Amino acid sequence: MATITEATVIVTSPGRNFVTLKVTTSDGVTGLGDATLNGRELAVASYLRDHLVPLLIGRDPARIEDMWQYLYKGAYWRRGPVTMTAIAAVDTALWDIKGKVAGMPVYDLLGGRARDGAMVYGHASGGDVPELLDDVARFRDLGYRAIRAQAAVPGSPGSYGVRKGVVYEPAAASLPDEQTWSTEDYLDFAPRLLTAVRERFGFDFHLLHDVHHRLTPTEAGRLGRRLEDLRLFWMEDPTPAELQESFRQIRQATTTPIAVGEVFNSIWDCQQLITERLIDYIRATVVHAGGITHLRRIFHLAELYQVRTGSHGATDLSPVSLSANVHLDVTVPNFGVQEYMGHDPLAHEVFRPTYELRDGALYPSDAPGLGVELDEEAAARFPYDPKYLPVNRRTDGSVHDW
Ligand code: GCO
Ligand code: MG
């Protein structure tokens, strides 16, 4: 039996911070797992280095489910983003190893492809409506079949979702950026913005929009109803989801499909949302929801309730977790869409993924395992660069959800 002989944590910042776990076996096989938690990276690095790595050495890398149960139940303290991201990193690395040992891509270990590629949505954004429309045109020219549309809300400087550089990156150095938010301005603006997109480009592509947890259920219901004729693919994160039953109210108010889940870390965060069909798409990811093993469980539960998948794929998810997600996406019957923002070219000096973007979809390669290499020498050239996600305040100065 091969055993785990080494596990190292690589923290690198090629354009943005990434934490990666590399597990090595006595047969010399290595596997990678993403452990990036934007703005709280070192907490996961320490959880891995100080608490999990000592438990991995000498164990059988083939027993993925047992390892998951051992780390989850063995911690006594359950769930939470730090714990679940750390467990995800171990789990993902073990799937990568299992694939390499078997000489199979991970999607084959998961039952084989149900589709060739995973349709992705790209992020069109702009400082105002004309800029956004130009960006939507660009994504259409690039062959995207699903496009998310966001623009800066007039009167709310620093609105989320608007790209400033090559890729969208909301985290800022030193202290968190403090932004201002007016729900009234947003509710007035969002329907105008999305109407402008449909008026200019019509209905032959999927249109998505992210509300980024900013509304109450009443406001979200009202917005969803106003957007119904625009036939959105989804309205994302309309309200914070700690109170799962609050989605019932949005549901009763509108037929606009609802997506949620990028901050979820376990099946318990979405059990009621799924089993009561309060959402249409579950957006949890491999890296933040306990790895391939746990995300697959969530997706299978969702399938029973006709909830489709739409995993988070922002720039703060490394090419390792994006690849893992795409391997899972192509196998699940209830796949919906995969978010894809791409990465800063610097990130590709460190991570060499083999998935391919074609015709608006990501195709995993048939390389054994996850098909991603990490260049450790390149990683060492980009030391950790502390950054924080923004904080959001209402116009009266009180803290709101970001
Ligand atoms: C999305 C997101 C992200 C998050 C980011 C936080 O839908 O992709 O809302 O852009 O804000 O991942 O780290
Ligand atoms: Mg989002």
PDB file of all heavy atoms in Angstrom, residues 286-322:
ATOM      1  N   VAL A 286     -15.978  23.351  -5.262  1.00  0.00           N
ATOM      2  CA  VAL A 286     -15.065  22.343  -4.721  1.00  0.00           C
ATOM      3  C   VAL A 286     -14.235  22.935  -3.571  1.00  0.00           C
ATOM      4  O   VAL A 286     -14.133  22.351  -2.500  1.00  0.00           O
ATOM      5  CB  VAL A 286     -14.126  21.830  -5.840  1.00  0.00           C
ATOM      6  CG1 VAL A 286     -12.928  21.094  -5.252  1.00  0.00           C
ATOM      7  CG2 VAL A 286     -14.883  20.912  -6.783  1.00  0.00           C
ATOM      8  N   VAL A 287     -13.640  24.116  -3.797  1.00  0.00           N
ATOM      9  CA  VAL A 287     -12.678  24.617  -2.806  1.00  0.00           C
ATOM     10  C   VAL A 287     -13.321  25.040  -1.489  1.00  0.00           C
ATOM     11  O   VAL A 287     -12.735  24.843  -0.432  1.00  0.00           O
ATOM     12  CB  VAL A 287     -11.798  25.758  -3.386  1.00  0.00           C
ATOM     13  CG1 VAL A 287     -12.634  26.900  -3.916  1.00  0.00           C
ATOM     14  CG2 VAL A 287     -10.810  26.296  -2.348  1.00  0.00           C
ATOM     15  N   HIS A 288     -14.510  25.613  -1.532  1.00  0.00           N
ATOM     16  CA  HIS A 288     -15.076  26.103  -0.273  1.00  0.00           C
ATOM     17  C   HIS A 288     -16.102  25.155   0.336  1.00  0.00           C
ATOM     18  O   HIS A 288     -16.529  25.365   1.473  1.00  0.00           O
ATOM     19  CB  HIS A 288     -15.673  27.504  -0.475  1.00  0.00           C
ATOM     20  CG  HIS A 288     -14.634  28.494  -0.892  1.00  0.00           C
ATOM     21  ND1 HIS A 288     -14.828  29.422  -1.881  1.00  0.00           N
ATOM     22  CD2 HIS A 288     -13.356  28.658  -0.467  1.00  0.00           C
ATOM     23  CE1 HIS A 288     -13.713  30.126  -2.038  1.00  0.00           C
ATOM     24  NE2 HIS A 288     -12.809  29.682  -1.204  1.00  0.00           N
ATOM     25  N   ALA A 289     -16.514  24.146  -0.389  1.00  0.00           N
ATOM     26  CA  ALA A 289     -17.541  23.242   0.137  1.00  0.00           C
ATOM     27  C   ALA A 289     -17.016  21.814   0.270  1.00  0.00           C
ATOM     28  O   ALA A 289     -17.636  20.849  -0.176  1.00  0.00           O
ATOM     29  CB  ALA A 289     -18.800  23.296  -0.732  1.00  0.00           C
ATOM     30  N   GLY A 290     -15.830  21.703   0.873  1.00  0.00           N
ATOM     31  CA  GLY A 290     -15.369  20.378   1.293  1.00  0.00           C
ATOM     32  C   GLY A 290     -14.842  19.451   0.220  1.00  0.00           C
ATOM     33  O   GLY A 290     -14.773  18.246   0.430  1.00  0.00           O
ATOM     34  N   GLY A 291     -14.484  20.016  -0.949  1.00  0.00           N
ATOM     35  CA  GLY A 291     -13.833  19.179  -1.967  1.00  0.00           C
ATOM     36  C   GLY A 291     -14.816  18.495  -2.893  1.00  0.00           C
ATOM     37  O   GLY A 291     -16.031  18.674  -2.823  1.00  0.00           O
ATOM     38  N   ILE A 292     -14.249  17.675  -3.781  1.00  0.00           N
ATOM     39  CA  ILE A 292     -15.069  16.963  -4.768  1.00  0.00           C
ATOM     40  C   ILE A 292     -16.054  16.038  -4.045  1.00  0.00           C
ATOM     41  O   ILE A 292     -17.233  15.953  -4.389  1.00  0.00           O
ATOM     42  CB  ILE A 292     -14.149  16.160  -5.715  1.00  0.00           C
ATOM     43  CG1 ILE A 292     -13.320  17.128  -6.577  1.00  0.00           C
ATOM     44  CG2 ILE A 292     -14.960  15.201  -6.585  1.00  0.00           C
ATOM     45  CD1 ILE A 292     -12.254  16.451  -7.435  1.00  0.00           C
ATOM     46  N   THR A 293     -15.590  15.363  -3.004  1.00  0.00           N
ATOM     47  CA  THR A 293     -16.426  14.392  -2.286  1.00  0.00           C
ATOM     48  C   THR A 293     -17.692  15.042  -1.731  1.00  0.00           C
ATOM     49  O   THR A 293     -18.796  14.513  -1.880  1.00  0.00           O
ATOM     50  CB  THR A 293     -15.600  13.768  -1.137  1.00  0.00           C
ATOM     51  OG1 THR A 293     -14.493  13.083  -1.726  1.00  0.00           O
ATOM     52  CG2 THR A 293     -16.419  12.810  -0.294  1.00  0.00           C
ATOM     53  N   HIS A 294     -17.542  16.204  -1.095  1.00  0.00           N
ATOM     54  CA  HIS A 294     -18.714  16.824  -0.472  1.00  0.00           C
ATOM     55  C   HIS A 294     -19.567  17.572  -1.497  1.00  0.00           C
ATOM     56  O   HIS A 294     -20.799  17.536  -1.427  1.00  0.00           O
ATOM     57  CB  HIS A 294     -18.286  17.752   0.663  1.00  0.00           C
ATOM     58  CG  HIS A 294     -19.419  18.131   1.569  1.00  0.00           C
ATOM     59  ND1 HIS A 294     -20.086  17.208   2.351  1.00  0.00           N
ATOM     60  CD2 HIS A 294     -20.031  19.317   1.789  1.00  0.00           C
ATOM     61  CE1 HIS A 294     -21.040  17.833   3.035  1.00  0.00           C
ATOM     62  NE2 HIS A 294     -21.035  19.109   2.701  1.00  0.00           N
ATOM     63  N   LEU A 295     -18.918  18.240  -2.455  1.00  0.00           N
ATOM     64  CA  LEU A 295     -19.703  18.975  -3.455  1.00  0.00           C
ATOM     65  C   LEU A 295     -20.549  18.003  -4.285  1.00  0.00           C
ATOM     66  O   LEU A 295     -21.696  18.289  -4.632  1.00  0.00           O
ATOM     67  CB  LEU A 295     -18.787  19.803  -4.368  1.00  0.00           C
ATOM     68  CG  LEU A 295     -19.534  20.758  -5.294  1.00  0.00           C
ATOM     69  CD1 LEU A 295     -20.332  21.795  -4.512  1.00  0.00           C
ATOM     70  CD2 LEU A 295     -18.584  21.454  -6.258  1.00  0.00           C
ATOM     71  N   ARG A 296     -19.977  16.842  -4.562  1.00  0.00           N
ATOM     72  CA  ARG A 296     -20.739  15.836  -5.307  1.00  0.00           C
ATOM     73  C   ARG A 296     -21.998  15.432  -4.529  1.00  0.00           C
ATOM     74  O   ARG A 296     -23.072  15.234  -5.095  1.00  0.00           O
ATOM     75  CB  ARG A 296     -19.859  14.618  -5.587  1.00  0.00           C
ATOM     76  CG  ARG A 296     -20.560  13.588  -6.425  1.00  0.00           C
ATOM     77  CD  ARG A 296     -19.619  12.580  -6.998  1.00  0.00           C
ATOM     78  NE  ARG A 296     -18.919  11.831  -5.969  1.00  0.00           N
ATOM     79  CZ  ARG A 296     -18.519  10.578  -6.114  1.00  0.00           C
ATOM     80  NH1 ARG A 296     -18.743   9.943  -7.232  1.00  0.00           N
ATOM     81  NH2 ARG A 296     -17.886   9.960  -5.156  1.00  0.00           N
ATOM     82  N   ARG A 297     -21.845  15.339  -3.214  1.00  0.00           N
ATOM     83  CA  ARG A 297     -23.004  14.984  -2.370  1.00  0.00           C
ATOM     84  C   ARG A 297     -24.081  16.074  -2.492  1.00  0.00           C
ATOM     85  O   ARG A 297     -25.279  15.788  -2.593  1.00  0.00           O
ATOM     86  CB  ARG A 297     -22.507  14.845  -0.925  1.00  0.00           C
ATOM     87  CG  ARG A 297     -23.407  14.127  -0.018  1.00  0.00           C
ATOM     88  CD  ARG A 297     -22.634  13.548   1.166  1.00  0.00           C
ATOM     89  NE  ARG A 297     -22.081  12.241   0.843  1.00  0.00           N
ATOM     90  CZ  ARG A 297     -20.925  11.766   1.320  1.00  0.00           C
ATOM     91  NH1 ARG A 297     -20.199  12.482   2.157  1.00  0.00           N
ATOM     92  NH2 ARG A 297     -20.509  10.576   0.987  1.00  0.00           N
ATOM     93  N   ILE A 298     -23.636  17.323  -2.445  1.00  0.00           N
ATOM     94  CA  ILE A 298     -24.581  18.449  -2.564  1.00  0.00           C
ATOM     95  C   ILE A 298     -25.277  18.398  -3.933  1.00  0.00           C
ATOM     96  O   ILE A 298     -26.502  18.537  -4.033  1.00  0.00           O
ATOM     97  CB  ILE A 298     -23.840  19.802  -2.398  1.00  0.00           C
ATOM     98  CG1 ILE A 298     -23.309  19.948  -0.965  1.00  0.00           C
ATOM     99  CG2 ILE A 298     -24.753  20.968  -2.764  1.00  0.00           C
ATOM    100  CD1 ILE A 298     -22.441  21.184  -0.732  1.00  0.00           C
ATOM    101  N   PHE A 299     -24.491  18.160  -4.981  1.00  0.00           N
ATOM    102  CA  PHE A 299     -25.071  18.142  -6.330  1.00  0.00           C
ATOM    103  C   PHE A 299     -26.058  16.976  -6.493  1.00  0.00           C
ATOM    104  O   PHE A 299     -27.078  17.115  -7.159  1.00  0.00           O
ATOM    105  CB  PHE A 299     -23.953  18.030  -7.381  1.00  0.00           C
ATOM    106  CG  PHE A 299     -23.187  19.326  -7.601  1.00  0.00           C
ATOM    107  CD1 PHE A 299     -23.504  20.478  -6.896  1.00  0.00           C
ATOM    108  CD2 PHE A 299     -22.148  19.383  -8.521  1.00  0.00           C
ATOM    109  CE1 PHE A 299     -22.800  21.666  -7.102  1.00  0.00           C
ATOM    110  CE2 PHE A 299     -21.450  20.565  -8.750  1.00  0.00           C
ATOM    111  CZ  PHE A 299     -21.770  21.699  -8.037  1.00  0.00           C
ATOM    112  N   HIS A 300     -25.731  15.858  -5.889  1.00  0.00           N
ATOM    113  CA  HIS A 300     -26.645  14.716  -6.002  1.00  0.00           C
ATOM    114  C   HIS A 300     -27.946  14.977  -5.242  1.00  0.00           C
ATOM    115  O   HIS A 300     -29.027  14.628  -5.714  1.00  0.00           O
ATOM    116  CB  HIS A 300     -25.972  13.439  -5.496  1.00  0.00           C
ATOM    117  CG  HIS A 300     -24.954  12.896  -6.465  1.00  0.00           C
ATOM    118  ND1 HIS A 300     -24.169  11.811  -6.187  1.00  0.00           N
ATOM    119  CD2 HIS A 300     -24.601  13.296  -7.705  1.00  0.00           C
ATOM    120  CE1 HIS A 300     -23.364  11.564  -7.225  1.00  0.00           C
ATOM    121  NE2 HIS A 300     -23.614  12.455  -8.148  1.00  0.00           N
ATOM    122  N   LEU A 301     -27.836  15.608  -4.078  1.00  0.00           N
ATOM    123  CA  LEU A 301     -29.061  15.976  -3.356  1.00  0.00           C
ATOM    124  C   LEU A 301     -29.888  16.921  -4.237  1.00  0.00           C
ATOM    125  O   LEU A 301     -31.104  16.755  -4.382  1.00  0.00           O
ATOM    126  CB  LEU A 301     -28.721  16.663  -2.022  1.00  0.00           C
ATOM    127  CG  LEU A 301     -29.935  17.168  -1.241  1.00  0.00           C
ATOM    128  CD1 LEU A 301     -30.751  16.008  -0.668  1.00  0.00           C
ATOM    129  CD2 LEU A 301     -29.518  18.115  -0.105  1.00  0.00           C
ATOM    130  N   ALA A 302     -29.201  17.901  -4.818  1.00  0.00           N
ATOM    131  CA  ALA A 302     -29.894  18.895  -5.657  1.00  0.00           C
ATOM    132  C   ALA A 302     -30.621  18.216  -6.825  1.00  0.00           C
ATOM    133  O   ALA A 302     -31.727  18.620  -7.195  1.00  0.00           O
ATOM    134  CB  ALA A 302     -28.895  19.928  -6.172  1.00  0.00           C
ATOM    135  N   GLU A 303     -30.001  17.189  -7.377  1.00  0.00           N
ATOM    136  CA  GLU A 303     -30.601  16.521  -8.532  1.00  0.00           C
ATOM    137  C   GLU A 303     -31.987  15.956  -8.189  1.00  0.00           C
ATOM    138  O   GLU A 303     -32.916  16.032  -8.985  1.00  0.00           O
ATOM    139  CB  GLU A 303     -29.690  15.390  -9.033  1.00  0.00           C
ATOM    140  CG  GLU A 303     -30.143  14.878 -10.383  1.00  0.00           C
ATOM    141  CD  GLU A 303     -29.839  13.412 -10.604  1.00  0.00           C
ATOM    142  OE1 GLU A 303     -29.020  12.839  -9.869  1.00  0.00           O
ATOM    143  OE2 GLU A 303     -30.452  12.836 -11.524  1.00  0.00           O
ATOM    144  N   LEU A 304     -32.113  15.432  -6.962  1.00  0.00           N
ATOM    145  CA  LEU A 304     -33.399  14.854  -6.563  1.00  0.00           C
ATOM    146  C   LEU A 304     -34.511  15.890  -6.583  1.00  0.00           C
ATOM    147  O   LEU A 304     -35.675  15.557  -6.712  1.00  0.00           O
ATOM    148  CB  LEU A 304     -33.309  14.276  -5.140  1.00  0.00           C
ATOM    149  CG  LEU A 304     -32.299  13.170  -4.879  1.00  0.00           C
ATOM    150  CD1 LEU A 304     -32.409  12.716  -3.432  1.00  0.00           C
ATOM    151  CD2 LEU A 304     -32.552  12.008  -5.824  1.00  0.00           C
ATOM    152  N   TYR A 305     -34.138  17.160  -6.399  1.00  0.00           N
ATOM    153  CA  TYR A 305     -35.133  18.227  -6.277  1.00  0.00           C
ATOM    154  C   TYR A 305     -35.157  19.150  -7.489  1.00  0.00           C
ATOM    155  O   TYR A 305     -35.658  20.273  -7.408  1.00  0.00           O
ATOM    156  CB  TYR A 305     -34.885  19.016  -4.979  1.00  0.00           C
ATOM    157  CG  TYR A 305     -35.136  18.139  -3.777  1.00  0.00           C
ATOM    158  CD1 TYR A 305     -34.099  17.404  -3.202  1.00  0.00           C
ATOM    159  CD2 TYR A 305     -36.425  17.976  -3.270  1.00  0.00           C
ATOM    160  CE1 TYR A 305     -34.334  16.557  -2.133  1.00  0.00           C
ATOM    161  CE2 TYR A 305     -36.666  17.134  -2.207  1.00  0.00           C
ATOM    162  CZ  TYR A 305     -35.622  16.424  -1.644  1.00  0.00           C
ATOM    163  OH  TYR A 305     -35.866  15.588  -0.596  1.00  0.00           O
ATOM    164  N   GLN A 306     -34.570  18.697  -8.602  1.00  0.00           N
ATOM    165  CA  GLN A 306     -34.535  19.491  -9.830  1.00  0.00           C
ATOM    166  C   GLN A 306     -33.889  20.848  -9.638  1.00  0.00           C
ATOM    167  O   GLN A 306     -34.307  21.848 -10.220  1.00  0.00           O
ATOM    168  CB  GLN A 306     -35.940  19.633 -10.422  1.00  0.00           C
ATOM    169  CG  GLN A 306     -36.522  18.282 -10.782  1.00  0.00           C
ATOM    170  CD  GLN A 306     -37.745  18.399 -11.651  1.00  0.00           C
ATOM    171  OE1 GLN A 306     -38.025  19.441 -12.216  1.00  0.00           O
ATOM    172  NE2 GLN A 306     -38.474  17.325 -11.772  1.00  0.00           N
ATOM    173  N   VAL A 307     -32.872  20.880  -8.788  1.00  0.00           N
ATOM    174  CA  VAL A 307     -32.047  22.077  -8.650  1.00  0.00           C
ATOM    175  C   VAL A 307     -30.780  21.807  -9.447  1.00  0.00           C
ATOM    176  O   VAL A 307     -30.174  20.741  -9.313  1.00  0.00           O
ATOM    177  CB  VAL A 307     -31.715  22.352  -7.164  1.00  0.00           C
ATOM    178  CG1 VAL A 307     -30.680  23.459  -7.032  1.00  0.00           C
ATOM    179  CG2 VAL A 307     -32.994  22.716  -6.400  1.00  0.00           C
ATOM    180  N   ARG A 308     -30.395  22.779 -10.282  1.00  0.00           N
ATOM    181  CA  ARG A 308     -29.208  22.571 -11.113  1.00  0.00           C
ATOM    182  C   ARG A 308     -27.978  23.255 -10.504  1.00  0.00           C
ATOM    183  O   ARG A 308     -28.086  24.040  -9.570  1.00  0.00           O
ATOM    184  CB  ARG A 308     -29.486  23.069 -12.541  1.00  0.00           C
ATOM    185  CG  ARG A 308     -30.531  22.185 -13.209  1.00  0.00           C
ATOM    186  CD  ARG A 308     -30.479  22.295 -14.718  1.00  0.00           C
ATOM    187  NE  ARG A 308     -31.203  23.478 -15.172  1.00  0.00           N
ATOM    188  CZ  ARG A 308     -30.935  24.103 -16.312  1.00  0.00           C
ATOM    189  NH1 ARG A 308     -29.950  23.698 -17.096  1.00  0.00           N
ATOM    190  NH2 ARG A 308     -31.655  25.146 -16.681  1.00  0.00           N
ATOM    191  N   THR A 309     -26.811  22.950 -11.064  1.00  0.00           N
ATOM    192  CA  THR A 309     -25.559  23.448 -10.494  1.00  0.00           C
ATOM    193  C   THR A 309     -25.088  24.696 -11.243  1.00  0.00           C
ATOM    194  O   THR A 309     -25.433  24.900 -12.404  1.00  0.00           O
ATOM    195  CB  THR A 309     -24.461  22.377 -10.593  1.00  0.00           C
ATOM    196  OG1 THR A 309     -24.034  22.283 -11.961  1.00  0.00           O
ATOM    197  CG2 THR A 309     -24.955  21.008 -10.137  1.00  0.00           C
ATOM    198  N   GLY A 310     -24.287  25.497 -10.572  1.00  0.00           N
ATOM    199  CA  GLY A 310     -23.774  26.714 -11.223  1.00  0.00           C
ATOM    200  C   GLY A 310     -22.552  27.229 -10.485  1.00  0.00           C
ATOM    201  O   GLY A 310     -22.487  28.395 -10.102  1.00  0.00           O
ATOM    202  N   SER A 311     -21.575  26.359 -10.312  1.00  0.00           N
ATOM    203  CA  SER A 311     -20.486  26.650  -9.370  1.00  0.00           C
ATOM    204  C   SER A 311     -19.770  27.977  -9.579  1.00  0.00           C
ATOM    205  O   SER A 311     -19.494  28.393 -10.698  1.00  0.00           O
ATOM    206  CB  SER A 311     -19.447  25.533  -9.418  1.00  0.00           C
ATOM    207  OG  SER A 311     -20.005  24.368  -8.891  1.00  0.00           O
ATOM    208  N   HIS A 312     -19.474  28.569  -8.433  1.00  0.00           N
ATOM    209  CA  HIS A 312     -18.650  29.770  -8.337  1.00  0.00           C
ATOM    210  C   HIS A 312     -17.310  29.511  -9.040  1.00  0.00           C
ATOM    211  O   HIS A 312     -16.730  28.439  -8.892  1.00  0.00           O
ATOM    212  CB  HIS A 312     -18.413  30.005  -6.839  1.00  0.00           C
ATOM    213  CG  HIS A 312     -17.819  31.323  -6.483  1.00  0.00           C
ATOM    214  ND1 HIS A 312     -17.120  31.498  -5.315  1.00  0.00           N
ATOM    215  CD2 HIS A 312     -17.819  32.512  -7.106  1.00  0.00           C
ATOM    216  CE1 HIS A 312     -16.723  32.749  -5.234  1.00  0.00           C
ATOM    217  NE2 HIS A 312     -17.135  33.397  -6.299  1.00  0.00           N
ATOM    218  N   GLY A 313     -16.822  30.501  -9.773  1.00  0.00           N
ATOM    219  CA  GLY A 313     -15.536  30.335 -10.456  1.00  0.00           C
ATOM    220  C   GLY A 313     -14.829  31.662 -10.612  1.00  0.00           C
ATOM    221  O   GLY A 313     -14.325  31.994 -11.671  1.00  0.00           O
ATOM    222  N   ALA A 314     -14.814  32.427  -9.499  1.00  0.00           N
ATOM    223  CA  ALA A 314     -14.183  33.753  -9.535  1.00  0.00           C
ATOM    224  C   ALA A 314     -12.662  33.615  -9.603  1.00  0.00           C
ATOM    225  O   ALA A 314     -12.116  32.514  -9.493  1.00  0.00           O
ATOM    226  CB  ALA A 314     -14.601  34.547  -8.293  1.00  0.00           C
ATOM    227  N   THR A 315     -11.985  34.754  -9.762  1.00  0.00           N
ATOM    228  CA  THR A 315     -10.517  34.740  -9.875  1.00  0.00           C
ATOM    229  C   THR A 315      -9.840  34.218  -8.621  1.00  0.00           C
ATOM    230  O   THR A 315      -8.683  33.812  -8.659  1.00  0.00           O
ATOM    231  CB  THR A 315      -9.988  36.161 -10.125  1.00  0.00           C
ATOM    232  OG1 THR A 315     -10.634  37.040  -9.209  1.00  0.00           O
ATOM    233  CG2 THR A 315     -10.245  36.607 -11.536  1.00  0.00           C
ATOM    234  N   ASP A 316     -10.550  34.264  -7.492  1.00  0.00           N
ATOM    235  CA  ASP A 316      -9.934  33.801  -6.245  1.00  0.00           C
ATOM    236  C   ASP A 316     -10.046  32.284  -6.060  1.00  0.00           C
ATOM    237  O   ASP A 316      -9.667  31.763  -5.017  1.00  0.00           O
ATOM    238  CB  ASP A 316     -10.500  34.557  -5.030  1.00  0.00           C
ATOM    239  CG  ASP A 316     -12.009  34.690  -5.032  1.00  0.00           C
ATOM    240  OD1 ASP A 316     -12.558  35.261  -6.001  1.00  0.00           O
ATOM    241  OD2 ASP A 316     -12.641  34.237  -4.080  1.00  0.00           O
ATOM    242  N   LEU A 317     -10.557  31.593  -7.064  1.00  0.00           N
ATOM    243  CA  LEU A 317     -10.516  30.128  -7.038  1.00  0.00           C
ATOM    244  C   LEU A 317      -9.401  29.741  -8.001  1.00  0.00           C
ATOM    245  O   LEU A 317      -9.416  30.152  -9.162  1.00  0.00           O
ATOM    246  CB  LEU A 317     -11.849  29.545  -7.507  1.00  0.00           C
ATOM    247  CG  LEU A 317     -12.966  29.608  -6.456  1.00  0.00           C
ATOM    248  CD1 LEU A 317     -13.470  31.011  -6.244  1.00  0.00           C
ATOM    249  CD2 LEU A 317     -14.102  28.723  -6.851  1.00  0.00           C
ATOM    250  N   SER A 318      -8.431  28.993  -7.547  1.00  0.00           N
ATOM    251  CA  SER A 318      -7.254  28.765  -8.385  1.00  0.00           C
ATOM    252  C   SER A 318      -7.573  27.820  -9.545  1.00  0.00           C
ATOM    253  O   SER A 318      -8.602  27.131  -9.537  1.00  0.00           O
ATOM    254  CB  SER A 318      -6.106  28.193  -7.551  1.00  0.00           C
ATOM    255  OG  SER A 318      -6.164  26.780  -7.539  1.00  0.00           O
ATOM    256  N   PRO A 319      -6.692  27.768 -10.550  1.00  0.00           N
ATOM    257  CA  PRO A 319      -6.912  26.822 -11.652  1.00  0.00           C
ATOM    258  C   PRO A 319      -7.053  25.379 -11.162  1.00  0.00           C
ATOM    259  O   PRO A 319      -7.680  24.563 -11.834  1.00  0.00           O
ATOM    260  CB  PRO A 319      -5.664  27.003 -12.523  1.00  0.00           C
ATOM    261  CG  PRO A 319      -5.276  28.450 -12.297  1.00  0.00           C
ATOM    262  CD  PRO A 319      -5.548  28.681 -10.826  1.00  0.00           C
ATOM    263  N   VAL A 320      -6.522  25.069  -9.970  1.00  0.00           N
ATOM    264  CA  VAL A 320      -6.660  23.699  -9.448  1.00  0.00           C
ATOM    265  C   VAL A 320      -8.118  23.438  -9.094  1.00  0.00           C
ATOM    266  O   VAL A 320      -8.700  22.410  -9.491  1.00  0.00           O
ATOM    267  CB  VAL A 320      -5.753  23.474  -8.214  1.00  0.00           C
ATOM    268  CG1 VAL A 320      -6.007  22.101  -7.601  1.00  0.00           C
ATOM    269  CG2 VAL A 320      -4.288  23.665  -8.582  1.00  0.00           C
ATOM    270  N   SER A 321      -8.760  24.365  -8.371  1.00  0.00           N
ATOM    271  CA  SER A 321     -10.158  24.076  -8.017  1.00  0.00           C
ATOM    272  C   SER A 321     -11.069  24.258  -9.212  1.00  0.00           C
ATOM    273  O   SER A 321     -12.080  23.562  -9.341  1.00  0.00           O
ATOM    274  CB  SER A 321     -10.650  24.876  -6.825  1.00  0.00           C
ATOM    275  OG  SER A 321     -10.551  26.229  -7.057  1.00  0.00           O
ATOM    276  N   LEU A 322     -10.715  25.185 -10.117  1.00  0.00           N
ATOM    277  CA  LEU A 322     -11.545  25.331 -11.315  1.00  0.00           C
ATOM    278  C   LEU A 322     -11.526  24.023 -12.112  1.00  0.00           C
ATOM    279  O   LEU A 322     -12.563  23.522 -12.555  1.00  0.00           O
ATOM    280  CB  LEU A 322     -11.051  26.496 -12.176  1.00  0.00           C
ATOM    281  CG  LEU A 322     -11.921  26.774 -13.391  1.00  0.00           C
ATOM    282  CD1 LEU A 322     -13.337  27.180 -12.984  1.00  0.00           C
ATOM    283  CD2 LEU A 322     -11.307  27.856 -14.264  1.00  0.00           C
TER     284      LEU A 322
END
